[in-house]
Amino acid sequence: MTSEPRLSPRLVLAVLSLAAFMASLDLFIVNVAFKDIGRDFGNTPIANLSWVLNGYAIVYAAALVPLGRLADRFGRKAGFLVGLALFTIASGACAASNGLWMLVTFRVLQAVGAALLTPTSMALLINATPVEARSKAIRIWSASAALAAAAGPVVGGLLVVSSWRLVFLVNLPIGVIAFLAAVRWVPEMRDTVAGSMPDLFGAAQLAFSIGALALALVKGNDWGWSSPAVIVTLALAVASLRWFWIRSRHHESPVVEPALLRVRTFAWANVAVLAFSVGFAANLLANVLWMQNVWGYSSLRTGLGVAPGPLMVLLCSLIAQSVSQRISVGRIAAIGCTLCGLGELTMLLSVGQNPSYLTQMLPGWLMFGAGVGFALPTMLSVATVGLPPSRSATGSAVVTMGRQVGSVFGVSVLVALLGHSANYEGTHLGFQRAWMAAAAGAILAAFAALGMSETRKAETAMPAQAA
């Protein structure tokens, strides 16, 4: 492995943390802007609007591992710069979109950029930081993503007051500054021995499978759940997914290495993260839609309403790290998942037609945020502990991929459960079903988390995706 002479590790950390901040900021901002985007494009139905989130998550999930390996082969700094530039340019194009499907297309390009910059930024950070300072550097890098999650709802609400397009334009100055700074201060890093080409066709198969399943879910109410269109779409999804798995077993550099799933901690962590992410995505969007569509909150007020949850994530992730010396990581994660489920059930039982955020929404939302803080950083940090060092980066990317797949299913299930009710009773019932499904995902994740290694000491470095 070769690299350029080391520059200041602090400068490298600042540049890479800025890029992580930008990529993470996008998730919460777009959720808050959802209603305004739909209204601007002719009151687009939520089934179509969901692709603004799902298109990004599907491509990000499928491209993360192959693009990370391409960067390993041809140069991680070059991969990081290309990913950062693409994400920034695509953000500007999203802001300029004059139709929903144009916006979805540029969101897909954003996802390609994110899939390149995320794994390469971690690798570059590790390479540029002395061994004794790596753990602290990774925690700071992770904290930048967590800070973006906490600031995103409020920033998004402020920007949407003027225009939803600003939630994408805000990435331009951040991206340009990060790009210029990376060119100057981030050293190159590449493997001296080139690995085999990644399975790009397999990645396309995975994207098709996830996309087909999401399409069947979000269009089930329109097409009819027993219609030929839904049945054929689901059959195509299953067949493509089976072909993908068979291909992964025989390809030299597959998207998912089957051997990794034979590692107990890694396998259970992936199940837990997938189930957890279904509930997380469904609950986040459900709360935003309830506050805006039922209670009539503005985007700014919605952003302020969402903000306490991510703040609890920051606090409780620190508590989880401190108690990991005395309680097994599986139990910590299970407790967190259970708290998430209880928070979702609390909102299901308490939220009503007349707005009362402090008594109806906030208690459950704080409980949910606390649960995320205990569960998600713990699951992400321990997932790759049992893997060989040479497979830790790939394993981390696979876990992140599972998180994105779970998000797609969560949003799609939410759309399917909300339906098209024109009265409050039907709408309320749809949201109650959505919160129930989210709680079920959290409880399933809790049981899966108990299957993780009973190692008592979690890794000290938490991935950025814990935000």
Side-chain angles (χ1 to χ4, degrees):
M1 184 178 293
T2 61
S3 62
E4 297 175 0
R6 293 189 189 278
L7 299 174
S8 168
R10 291 184 179 181
L11 283 174
V12 176
L13 174 60
V15 173
L16 297 176
S17 295
L18 183 62
F21 178 89
M22 179 182 70
S24 297
L25 188 70
D26 204 58
L27 170 64
F28 284 89
I29 281 187
V30 173
N31 271 279
V32 173
F34 218 57
K35 179 180 178 181
D36 293 79
I37 294 172
R39 184 170 55 223
D40 203 28
F41 291 147
N43 293 318
T44 302
I46 189 173
N48 293 340
L49 197 59
S50 66
W51 291 103
V52 175
L53 297 176
N54 281 349
Y56 180 96
I58 290 168
V59 173
Y60 183 86
L64 184 64
V65 175
L67 292 185
R69 287 180 178 160
L70 279 180
D72 292 344
R73 181 183 177 93
F74 296 108
R76 295 182 178 93
K77 180 176 179 178
F80 175 76
L81 291 174
V82 170
L84 184 57
L86 182 58
F87 188 93
T88 305
I89 293 170
S91 296
C94 286
S97 298
N98 56 18
L100 175 66
W101 300 114
M102 180 181 292
L103 174 60
V104 171
T105 299
F106 290 128
R107 284 282 287 166
V108 166
L109 292 179
Q110 262 193 321
V112 175
L116 254 177
L117 74 86
T118 302
T120 52
S121 62
M122 171 65 87
L124 290 168
L125 178 63
I126 292 173
N127 177 65
T129 307
V131 175
E132 64 276 8
R134 283 178 184 170
S135 178
K136 181 180 179 181
I138 295 174
R139 284 200 303 271
I140 294 172
W141 184 75
S142 301
S144 68
L147 178 62
V154 180
V155 172
L158 287 169
L159 294 174
V160 172
V161 169
S162 298
S163 171
W164 64 263
R165 299 178 189 275
L166 291 178
V167 306
F168 296 107
L169 287 176
V170 72
N171 291 330
L172 269 62
I174 301 175
V176 169
I177 292 170
F179 184 90
L180 295 176
V183 169
R184 180 175 177 82
W185 289 315
V186 175
E188 176 59 282
M189 175 190 181
R190 91 173 59 222
D191 293 336
T192 54
V193 178
S196 58
M197 286 293 292
D199 185 12
L200 298 178
F201 182 77
Q205 278 184 297
L206 180 60
F208 176 83
S209 302
I210 302 168
L213 182 54
L215 179 64
L217 288 173
V218 301
K219 285 294 188 181
N221 289 312
D222 295 330
W223 294 347
W225 290 103
S226 60
S227 67
V230 168
I231 294 172
V232 170
T233 304
L234 287 174
L236 287 173
V238 172
S240 180
L241 191 59
R242 184 174 183 275
W243 186 14
F244 165 78
W245 184 246
I246 293 172
R247 183 180 178 87
S248 295
R249 293 173 60 188
H250 297 93
H251 197 277
E252 186 178 3
S253 183
V255 177
V256 179
E257 297 180 54
L260 296 183
L261 298 178
R262 290 195 287 269
V263 178
R264 179 174 181 269
T265 305
F266 183 74
W268 280 112
N270 272 276
V271 174
V273 168
L274 178 65
F276 178 89
S277 298
V278 173
F280 178 91
N283 186 52
L284 173 61
L285 185 55
N287 287 5
V288 169
L289 293 176
W290 182 271
M291 285 188 279
Q292 291 186 335
N293 295 349
V294 180
W295 283 355
Y297 279 13
S298 66
S299 296
L300 176 57
R301 194 174 182 184
T302 301
L304 292 170
V306 171
L311 290 175
M312 289 296 293
V313 175
L314 286 170
L315 173 63
C316 292
S317 63
L318 296 175
I319 297 174
Q321 184 134 325
S322 67
V323 301
S324 64
Q325 302 293 332
R326 302 184 299 276
I327 304 174
S328 68
V329 291
R331 290 178 182 175
I332 293 173
I335 290 169
C337 293
T338 303
L339 276 174
C340 287
L342 291 175
E344 289 154 344
L345 291 176
T346 299
M347 287 181 281
L348 182 157
L349 295 172
S350 60
V351 170
Q353 184 173 11
N354 297 319
S356 182
Y357 175 81
L358 291 178
T359 59
Q360 296 180 16
M361 181 74 74
L362 185 59
W365 187 235
L366 289 177
M367 197 181 302
F368 177 79
V372 174
F374 280 109
L376 192 56
T378 303
M379 292 188 293
L380 294 177
S381 64
V382 79
T384 59
V385 167
L387 300 181
S390 62
R391 288 292 179 266
S392 60
T394 298
S396 180
V398 171
V399 175
T400 303
M401 179 184 74
R403 187 180 175 193
Q404 296 299 319
V405 172
S407 296
V408 173
F409 292 162
V411 171
S412 301
V413 168
L414 173 66
V415 172
L417 293 175
L418 290 184
H420 302 299
S421 178
N423 56 60
Y424 170 76
E425 288 73 18
T427 299
H428 191 204
L429 180 60
F431 275 94
Q432 286 183 316
R433 289 170 176 168
W435 278 312
M436 180 66 75
I443 299 304
L444 177 60
F447 282 107
L450 290 174
M452 291 173 6
S453 170
E454 288 299 305
T455 302
R456 287 190 170 271
K457 184 176 180 180
E459 292 292 283
T460 56
M462 293 186 182
Q465 286 78 13

